[in-house]
Amino acid sequence: MNTKTSKAIQELRGIIGLTQGEFAVMIGASKDTVASWEVGRNKLSSSFARRIALATGVIEDDLLRGRSPLTTRGFAARRTPFTAETFKSHRTSYWGSSDETAARRHLKHCTDALELLFLAAARAGGDKGPSRLPAVADSFIHWCEQTREDFALEAGIDEQLAQRTSEVAVQKSYREWRRQQREDPTACRAMGFTDDPTKDDNESLRLTTMTMPLWRPGYPMRAPNPGKA
């Protein structure tokens, strides 16, 4: 790896005031990867340079070529020195004042792009040809699964899904509840069913439970409407 590039990464990290571990988290790399760039053991890839530029506002070509001092895009796209102040400005103006603000802002932007892709894929075949949508949707689903794994987002996703719980009511006759208890006792316990021998088979019983959607890219992951059996 170009020793100038190694120094450029060290310079960048020093300007923004992050440890190797903190910097690694921000760009989705391991701490060892960042260390390997800084000692010149591994080459900085163009994809990681692009990601670093997106996260910090530095010009990616400065990193790849090892230019010093580092620069950023200023007014009218002119290069200006990259400083702690320009980094903070980039984080606020491009990403948002908080992590949640950034997430919601870029969720909207990415949703716009996804809508255009899906609609274009649906219409690509025209009236006479098959749609490309199944292939495009599968590609997106695969990306979701891979991203979840690559960035270890399981816990965060589960936390979000846990906030989408809703109350679901199910009404059945005691005959149906008893049959389900024999066939699927786990589901009956989850619904809170306890048999009452004094109840006639034809008598109705309405039970409610809280449900949480499962992680299933390509399928609805919102809680069902309350009261829907």
Side-chain angles (χ1 to χ4, degrees):
M1 181 175 177
N2 186 336
T3 55
K4 290 184 178 180
T5 299
S6 301
K7 291 180 180 179
I9 296 174
Q10 293 178 49
E11 178 184 344
L12 170 67
R13 197 167 55 76
I15 290 172
I16 63 180
L18 296 181
T19 66
Q20 287 184 342
E22 292 168 338
F23 184 68
V25 169
M26 184 174 68
I27 63 171
S30 69
K31 180 181 176 181
D32 288 343
T33 296
V34 174
S36 72
W37 293 336
E38 293 191 2
V39 299
R41 188 169 65 250
N42 289 328
K43 181 180 179 181
L44 175 69
S45 66
S46 57
S47 60
F48 262 117
R50 185 175 63 248
R51 190 179 296 178
I52 293 170
L54 187 66
T56 64
V58 74
I59 293 179
E60 62 185 271
D61 197 50
D62 285 0
L63 299 176
L64 292 171
R65 295 179 180 274
R67 293 195 182 102
S68 184
L70 297 171
T71 58
T72 189
R73 299 289 182 191
F75 179 73
R78 294 176 181 173
R79 291 190 180 216
T80 59
F82 181 81
T83 65
E85 287 70 29
T86 59
F87 168 64
K88 291 177 182 177
S89 175
H90 173 76
R91 294 291 292 176
T92 301
S93 62
Y94 183 78
W95 290 105
S97 57
S98 68
D99 288 341
E100 183 168 349
T101 299
R104 294 189 182 282
R105 174 185 293 176
H106 289 274
L107 171 63
K108 180 183 183 304
H109 296 167
C110 290
T111 300
D112 290 343
L114 186 61
E115 180 183 12
L116 291 172
L117 284 172
F118 273 37
L119 291 177
R123 298 167 182 168
D127 295 333
K128 298 180 180 179
S131 166
R132 297 176 186 172
L133 184 57
V136 172
D138 177 71
S139 177
F140 173 69
I141 290 169
H142 176 74
W143 176 85
C144 288
E145 294 287 9
Q146 194 63 53
T147 300
R148 178 176 182 261
E149 180 180 338
D150 288 347
F151 296 95
L153 299 176
E154 294 86 353
I157 289 173
D158 288 344
E159 181 182 348
Q160 293 295 315
L161 290 174
Q163 296 175 22
R164 299 183 177 188
T165 57
S166 68
E167 187 177 77
V168 175
V170 178
Q171 186 165 332
K172 298 180 180 182
S173 67
Y174 268 87
R175 178 185 291 107
E176 293 173 311
W177 282 117
R178 286 161 181 159
R179 182 174 64 249
Q180 184 172 358
Q181 188 175 45
R182 293 191 299 270
E183 297 173 355
D184 191 355
T186 301
C188 270
R189 283 196 299 271
M191 288 298 303
F193 174 68
T194 302
D195 196 5
D196 183 349
T198 66
K199 299 297 184 180
D200 184 83
D201 276 351
N202 295 322
E203 191 169 340
S204 179
L205 175 65
R206 180 183 176 89
L207 296 174
T208 60
T209 187
M210 299 301 295
T211 64
M212 183 181 84
L214 300 175
W215 165 253
R216 296 179 68 205
Y219 294 87
M221 285 182 280
R222 296 285 176 182
N225 293 329
K228 185 177 180 180

